[in-house]
Amino acid sequence: MTIELQEKLQDFQTYIDAEEKIEPGDWMPDDYRAHNVRQISQHAHSEVIGMQPEGNWITRAPSLRAKKILLAKIQDEGGHGLYLYSAAETLGISRDELIEQLHEGKAKYSSVFNYPTLNWADIGAIGWLVDGAAVTNQLSLRRTSYGPYARAMFRICNEESFHQRQGYEIMMKMANGTPEQREMAQDALNRWWWPALMMFGPHDNQSQRTHKGMMWKIKRASNDELRQRFIDKTVPQAEFLGLTIPDPDLRWNPDTNQYDTGEINWDEFHQVISGNGPCNRERMDHHKKVHEEGAWVREAAAAFAAKKQAQQN
Ligand code: FAQ
């Protein structure tokens, strides 16, 4: 490494340590750029693929009110994907390349969206637990060091908090409904609890990306810290619903002032992120199909932009 590069890297770190934001035109190490492209694009893919499990229930929502709320929520998730793709594009990669990486399996999306939604209670559990986990992570990402990513997070967090509450409302209705509805709510919690905990990624001592992510303040809290924060706020919410968290080892630890939990099934996690979860193939096939069907929209938009550009010249 040349002395000039060493000095640039040091200045960059000093700038980050002073809590300054890195903006698209600023000099940045190649690894910093690549780390952000990877994380932001995987985040964007998660938002967009995450529309599928819930989209499955729009036509079967139990009331017009429920349908309107679910439609709005799913549209929000699509919007989050768009903000995030735009943030990634400021790092010099095109939307087409990002989608290609997803289709070729080079880019991941959150493991949690590879589980099926079997009934209406699952829509409540997704809002409560999946959006609840997402917002726990995203609140910390509002302080991420890359400016466009941090700004996208502010808006996204406001919407995710509403999503969490709409999910909790569904769970509340079902948990206080008929014995069958209550059983559905408990069953949904049983199926979504562990996948929600897996959203935070491997334990800190197994997470290869955490060190650099934290050094560059791209990540502002570690996987385990965020998971614990989520557990500590969600367990009392389950108690309020009168539902049981499906973890026989869960108990309050007065010494740490936190809940202790059982271990996540990491084999299952690795299976899901390597493409072998219950719905991986279905999610990706659907995305590819819809992407192909939408080719004419992209062509029309590109032709319109080119025509406008020609008129301006
Ligand atoms: N699923 O070394 P680490 C939402 C990968 S948004 C799949 O710990 P890092 C909204 C990881 O990418 C949910 N892959 O990595 C919504 C890395 O792979 P790579 C998404 C996972 O980056 C709600 C490898 O394992 N949120 O839900 C997972 O330091 C409802 C090693 O892991 C974000 O993306 C996983 N669970 O930490 C939408 C937030 N965990 O790239 C619709 C931004 C880990 O080396 C409905 N992302 N991996 O091939 C992050 O905060 C971080 O990237 C982590 C992972 C925490 C996900």
Side-chain angles (χ1 to χ4, degrees), residues 102-279:
L102 173 69
H103 287 175
E104 287 176 356
K106 291 182 188 154
K108 297 187 170 73
Y109 59 89
S110 184
S111 49
V112 77
F113 301 119
N114 292 306
Y115 292 84
T117 37
L118 305 181
N119 60 52
W120 182 251
D122 289 27
I123 300 304
I126 290 183
W128 173 36
L129 301 173
V130 177
D131 285 275
V135 80
T136 305
N137 185 357
Q138 291 171 159
L139 283 170
S140 80
L141 286 172
R142 289 182 309 178
R143 289 169 53 242
T144 190
S145 60
Y146 188 55
Y149 191 21
R151 289 189 286 275
M153 276 305 121
F154 272 89
R155 188 153 181 184
I156 290 177
C157 281
N158 290 342
E159 293 177 351
E160 298 291 19
S161 312
F162 154 75
H163 297 168
Q164 195 271 351
R165 283 198 290 273
Q166 67 81 36
Y168 197 68
E169 186 194 65
I170 295 175
M171 293 305 281
M172 189 107 83
K173 269 201 180 149
M174 297 198 74
N176 293 304
T178 63
E180 288 80 6
Q181 285 172 322
R182 188 176 181 73
E183 207 174 298
M184 283 166 74
Q186 180 63 55
D187 171 59
L189 170 58
N190 294 348
R191 285 180 292 104
W192 289 94
W193 174 251
W194 292 104
L197 296 192
M198 291 177 197
M199 287 175 74
F200 296 94
H203 281 313
D204 295 350
N205 59 6
Q206 302 288 316
S207 159
Q208 308 125 7
R209 306 281 193 182
T210 292
H211 172 68
K212 275 201 168 166
M214 302 272 286
M215 179 181 90
W216 282 326
K217 300 191 192 292
I218 296 170
K219 256 172 120 153
R220 301 306 309 246
S222 75
N223 298 358
D224 284 329
E225 275 170 51
L226 291 168
R227 185 168 18 243
Q228 189 67 47
R229 238 177 252 175
F230 170 72
I231 292 166
D232 291 340
K233 73 178 170 193
T234 309
V235 172
Q237 293 170 357
E239 283 167 0
F240 187 75
L241 292 173
L243 299 179
T244 308
I245 301 276
D247 178 355
D249 297 320
L250 181 85
R251 53 187 55 88
W252 177 251
N253 183 336
D255 297 331
T256 57
N257 259 338
Q258 291 175 335
Y259 284 94
D260 290 339
T261 58
E263 193 47 288
I264 288 171
N265 180 345
W266 292 110
D267 285 345
E268 178 179 324
F269 171 78
H270 288 296
Q271 282 295 324
V272 176
I273 66 169
S274 54
N276 301 318
C279 302

Side-chain angles (χ1 to χ4, degrees), residues 38-53 85 101-115 198-199 269 271-287:
R38 177 192 64 86
Q39 180 167 323
I40 301 171
S41 68
Q42 294 191 5
H43 194 164
H45 298 324
S46 304
E47 299 279 358
V48 170
I49 299 287
M51 296 164 79
Q52 290 187 37
Y85 283 128
Q101 289 176 356
L102 173 69
H103 287 175
E104 287 176 356
K106 291 182 188 154
K108 297 187 170 73
Y109 59 89
S110 184
S111 49
V112 77
F113 301 119
N114 292 306
Y115 292 84
M198 291 177 197
M199 287 175 74
F269 171 78
Q271 282 295 324
V272 176
I273 66 169
S274 54
N276 301 318
C279 302
N280 294 59
R281 173 124 347 134
E282 184 183 328
R283 301 287 182 246
M284 210 34 64
D285 286 351
H286 184 73
H287 193 278

